[in-house]
Amino acid sequence: MSTALLQLDWVDRFLQLPEAYYTRVRPEPLSAPRMVHFNTELAGQIGLSAADTQDPELLALLSGNASRPGDKAIATVYAGHQFGHFVPQLGDGRALLLGQLRNPQGDLFELQLKGAGRTPYSRFADGRAVLRSSIREYLCSEAMQALGIPTTRALALVASPDPVQRETLETAAVVCRVAPSFVRFGHFEYFFYLHQHERLAPLADHVIDGHFAHLAARPDKYAAWLGEIVERTARLMARWQTVGFCHGVMNTDNFSILGLTIDYGPYGFLDGFQSGHICNHSDEAGRYAYDQQPRIGYWNCSRLLQATLPLLHETPETAVEIAQGILARYPGAYADAVLEGWRAKLGLLDTRDGDRDLINAFLNILDRGANDFTRCFRGLAAVRCDATIAPPIRDEITDVAAFDAWLQDYRARLQAEDSDDPARAVRMNAVNPKYVLRNHLAQTAIELSEHGEDTEVDCLMQVLSRPFDEQPERERYAAPPPPQAAHIAVSCSS
Ligand code: AMP
Ligand code: MG
């Protein structure tokens, strides 16, 4: 194999760790692989030219039908709290780390194949991912990237006619995911609960040296590093809340040590706003409902701190005190980030006392009418300080009387800071997306690709790569879901 991908600067930092952290694996081949989509923009970032991406050998590598020389691929081991219950061993059950490379600018990228077959951590499952869930992961990770929300990314999506049994018989696919690191909270939990506490520091150093180099020389580097993770996680939750993103499975094994959105399964963007919305049909109790996400982010950080106590101090009581101090940074970091996010969505420049109430009042109006979250925020950009001009979005709001009353307060608030209508509209349109990956849009692309027609995946990639821009020829992608879309159910089955 001579594909340009193999000629890049592979540094494979994870292989420098002892084998207690992973197992070497080989991908299981797929028959008749077809490239559903290739992300040329991301390929360029990792150091591939447009010509390189035409190489047929690239498809073999990205489908798992060929391996890097020297058996470099690994599956890593982790544990995790799933729906609140500790599971002592999970791990990359259907993902393998192809390796880690450094681009000419010095940035690190890990490449992972998700769905490339069984590993020692597959437990009872088949190591595969179906085309349906792979398209959802591929599209959403790039949609989140374009929204400016920290996320793992996707380089390639390969499909195969090979059958995969879920509730119905589906077909297989492999997503090549890309991130600086795929280390999860659960990696640390694995060694903590196994009482292999001496394994925590090498893993923490691996993460710090690669991704938190500014902390590496500090005597309190572990506390400083955990503090950054807690704050990143809090800020990530604020980003999810203010864009209406529901993750669906916020288990600690699905939480990134870099504060990235990771593992797109039964996620969803809010259509009609309901604060208690549960996007995952497998989540009967609503543990991961939209309005629970910030609290769960905090709880997950507490699980990470529990698992890293031995890094903080040799005396357990002192370690707990330090951990509590670190965890205490979450509520403030979240509150600041989320308020800043909501204020930006309303186009406010100054900070005033009543801002939080103003935001909550608007959310309550949407909640009562299950009005479309994305469209209603986007529509606020058309509000004028002049009370005689009604914004067109008014027609979509169920409780018009409440909205009119709210508009009076909003306009008064805008006038209090001498808000300039056109300038505010520009600011608001840069933070309130017009286009998000609604479930029904993904579903249309899935159904077409299941019949071998991949153009809709490409079309969605293009629309969602510019979520804040008006794209007049693609107006229908900004519409609320059609009534027949109500049947779309997403669950843990993937
Ligand atoms: P998830 O719910 O997708 O985050 O997965 C939880 C755990 O189950 C992880 O260890 C996954 O690697 C593993 N897993 C999920 N689906 C499969 C599958 N089809 N084959 C093997 N392992 C899987
Ligand atoms: Mg997972």
Side-chain angles (χ1 to χ4, degrees), residues 259-280:
L260 308 173
T261 312
I262 188 171
D263 279 13
Y264 293 90
Y267 67 82
F269 283 87
L270 296 171
D271 291 307
F273 182 61
Q274 279 177 317
S275 54
H277 177 68
I278 304 166
C279 68
N280 176 2

Side-chain angles (χ1 to χ4, degrees), residues 51-372:
D52 295 336
T53 64
Q54 300 303 315
D55 183 348
E57 286 180 86
L58 190 61
L59 177 62
L61 204 58
L62 295 175
S63 59
N65 285 359
S67 300
R68 284 180 62 200
D71 281 332
K72 298 286 170 93
I74 58 172
T76 69
V77 64
Y78 53 80
H81 280 85
Q82 298 193 310
F83 290 91
H85 303 287
F86 185 66
V87 182
Q89 194 197 296
L90 295 162
D92 296 323
R94 54 168 164 176
L96 61 82
L97 188 64
L98 267 185
Q100 189 184 42
L101 54 85
R102 199 184 290 280
N103 74 0
Q105 292 75 39
D107 306 318
L108 290 170
F109 297 90
E110 282 188 348
L111 269 60
Q112 204 183 55
L113 296 185
K114 181 169 178 179
R118 264 162 307 199
T119 78
Y121 314 113
S122 301
R123 297 179 290 169
F124 44 85
D126 58 11
R128 290 300 183 193
V130 296
L131 180 60
R132 165 179 56 84
S133 65
S134 301
I135 289 177
R136 286 173 51 83
E137 170 138 27
Y138 188 85
L139 289 174
C140 199
S141 49
E142 289 307 299
M144 292 290 265
Q145 169 74 17
L147 288 165
I149 299 174
T151 177
T152 64
R153 302 198 57 189
L155 178 67
L157 170 55
V158 178
S160 159
D162 289 351
V164 177
Q165 186 67 52
R166 295 293 181 261
E167 279 84 4
T168 61
L169 199 61
E170 302 189 45
T171 56
V174 174
V175 175
C176 178
R177 302 197 289 193
V178 178
S181 169
F182 285 97
V183 172
R184 301 144 188 273
F185 287 13
H187 279 95
F188 293 89
E189 293 183 285
Y190 176 77
F191 294 106
F192 177 76
Y193 291 100
L194 208 59
H195 301 289
Q196 294 184 5
H197 296 178
E198 72 287 358
R199 303 248 186 242
L200 294 169
L203 186 59
D205 290 338
H206 164 83
V207 173
I208 293 170
D209 294 345
H211 311 285
F212 298 80
H214 58 288
L215 303 176
R218 283 176 59 156
D220 64 341
K221 65 174 171 179
Y222 297 126
W225 165 66
L226 290 163
E228 279 203 24
I229 299 166
V230 164
E231 290 191 359
R232 282 190 196 194
T233 305
R235 288 197 298 267
L236 182 67
M237 295 307 105
R239 297 303 306 272
W240 289 1
Q241 295 311 101
T242 52
V243 81
F245 176 78
C246 304
H247 182 282
V249 198
M250 296 171 66
N251 297 336
T252 54
D253 50 300
N254 292 339
F255 260 52
S256 150
I257 208 70
L258 302 183
L260 308 173
T261 312
I262 188 171
D263 279 13
Y264 293 90
Y267 67 82
F269 283 87
L270 296 171
D271 291 307
F273 182 61
Q274 279 177 317
S275 54
H277 177 68
I278 304 166
C279 68
N280 176 2
H281 278 240
S282 313
D283 180 13
E284 277 145 29
R287 177 178 169 87
Y288 300 139
Y290 168 79
D291 59 3
Q292 299 301 308
Q293 296 190 130
R295 194 179 62 75
I296 294 290
Y298 176 83
W299 190 81
N300 287 351
C301 286
S302 79
R303 297 302 84 210
L304 175 65
L305 283 158
Q306 170 81 51
T308 50
L309 283 176
L311 296 176
L312 292 173
H313 205 275
E314 63 268 24
T315 313
E317 293 74 24
T318 312
V320 169
E321 267 173 41
I322 297 170
Q324 282 169 341
I326 296 169
L327 194 58
R329 289 161 67 171
Y330 184 103
Y334 174 74
D336 289 352
V338 83
L339 189 57
E340 189 189 313
W342 290 127
R343 291 178 63 262
K345 286 175 82 74
L346 293 191
L348 306 178
L349 286 176
D350 297 351
T351 308
R352 303 276 164 113
D353 275 349
D355 290 352
R356 195 191 308 265
D357 296 337
L358 187 70
I359 290 150
N360 286 339
F362 183 60
L363 290 172
N364 282 336
I365 292 168
L366 300 189
D367 201 349
R368 279 203 302 278
N371 298 128
D372 193 275

